[in-house]
Each structure stands twice: as C-alpha cells, then as structure tokens.
Amino acid sequence: METETERRAERQSATRGGDPISPLRPDDHSAAHPAQETPVEARQGFLGRPVLKVLIAGLVLAVLAWIVVALLAP
C-alpha cells in the first residue's frame, strides 16, 4: 500500500528541475503519527544556476579583497 508521503514524493519528482511545486500544507501530526517529509520537502533551498552565481560572485569578491589587502600591506 502506498503512503501519503510516497504519493507526494512521486508527484514532486514528476516535475522538471526548476518548475515550482504546489504549496505544501502542514499535515496533522501526533506522537503516534510523526511527520514524514519527502526529499523535496526537506530541502531548504533550490539548487542550480542562481546558487552557482552567488558562489562565484563571493569567490570573486574574496579574491579582490585579498588583492587589496596584499597591495596595502607594507
């Protein structure tokens, strides 16, 4: 028998990489029925080009700061 978590995971994996998923609504949880999240729901952010751009920009800024400090140091 397929659980609700498995059905949500199947729906979410059917979307392409950057497509938005439908808003998630909280389930009713108790000690007898703890929360079960799919890998997509558990992820805190999206991966892809925007993340890569931020990482590259940070690296460029760090190199520029290093160069400035090296030039100003006696």
Side-chain angles (χ1 to χ4, degrees):
M1 179 182 285
E2 192 175 39
T3 65
E4 175 64 25
T5 304
E6 291 168 343
R7 285 192 297 270
R8 285 194 322 251
E10 181 63 31
R11 273 195 325 262
Q12 291 167 354
S13 64
T15 62
R16 292 186 316 218
D19 290 347
I21 59 173
S22 60
L24 304 174
R25 61 176 184 77
D27 296 328
D28 295 327
H29 304 296
S30 67
H33 302 288
Q36 294 180 347
E37 295 178 327
T38 66
V40 173
E41 294 169 349
R43 190 174 64 201
Q44 291 187 6
F46 293 102
L47 302 175
R49 290 190 188 271
V51 174
L52 181 61
K53 289 178 184 177
V54 169
L55 291 174
I56 290 173
L59 182 62
V60 167
L61 289 174
V63 168
L64 288 175
W66 188 335
I67 291 171
V68 168
V69 168
L71 291 175
L72 296 177

